[in-house]
Amino acid sequence: QVQLVESGGGLVQAGGSLRLSCAASGRDFSSYVMGWFRQAPGKERTFVAAISWSGGIYYADSVKGRFTISRDNAKNTVYLQMNSLKPEDTAVYYCAAGRTIASLNGGSWGQGTQVTVSS
């Protein structure tokens, strides 16, 4: 298993940008699928983006064209670049690691980082 720590959240105006980072410790980071999820107040946690060990990338429709996921295996870190932010992007963002995309929910999770987008 890996241990995950997110950072980079904050308060930003609509239309602005933030970059989230997720630092992983543990073995074999490069072999994990890494994902980002978010949970808005009073709502369930939802998928945002994922990147496989081979570089395959997947996005939720709501963030396509605005968010970019990437990974740096040398630094054991995955990033989420968020542009053109909207108030509805406000949520706690969580990083997750799993052996497959389907196993992300049951994998390792970070503690989350708050993103607040003001209108």
Side-chain angles (χ1 to χ4, degrees):
Q1 273 197 335
V2 293
Q3 291 75 47
L4 306 172
V5 178
E6 302 97 334
S7 61
L11 173 64
V12 64
Q13 288 188 333
S17 299
L18 282 174
R19 188 175 83 153
L20 305 183
S21 299
C22 173
S25 60
R27 298 177 59 183
D28 301 325
F29 170 79
S30 62
S31 68
Y32 281 88
V33 175
M34 300 299 298
W36 287 97
F37 292 74
R38 64 187 181 186
Q39 186 167 20
K43 296 187 177 181
E44 293 187 351
R45 188 169 60 194
T46 59
F47 169 80
V48 175
I51 184 167
S52 73
W53 59 269
S54 61
I57 290 176
Y58 311 87
Y59 294 105
D61 288 343
S62 59
V63 306
K64 280 181 182 176
R66 300 188 299 123
F67 290 12
T68 302
I69 189 171
S70 61
R71 66 191 297 163
D72 186 336
N73 290 334
K75 295 182 178 180
N76 281 14
T77 302
V78 63
Y79 304 97
L80 186 68
Q81 177 67 44
M82 305 186 295
N83 299 328
S84 303
L85 283 161
K86 305 175 182 179
E88 51 264 44
D89 294 317
T90 295
V92 177
Y93 283 70
Y94 297 91
C95 176
R99 291 300 185 181
T100 65
I101 289 180
S103 69
L104 280 173
N105 272 317
S108 300
W109 288 83
Q111 83 290 348
T113 185
Q114 176 70 47
V115 171
T116 303
V117 184
S118 62
S119 58

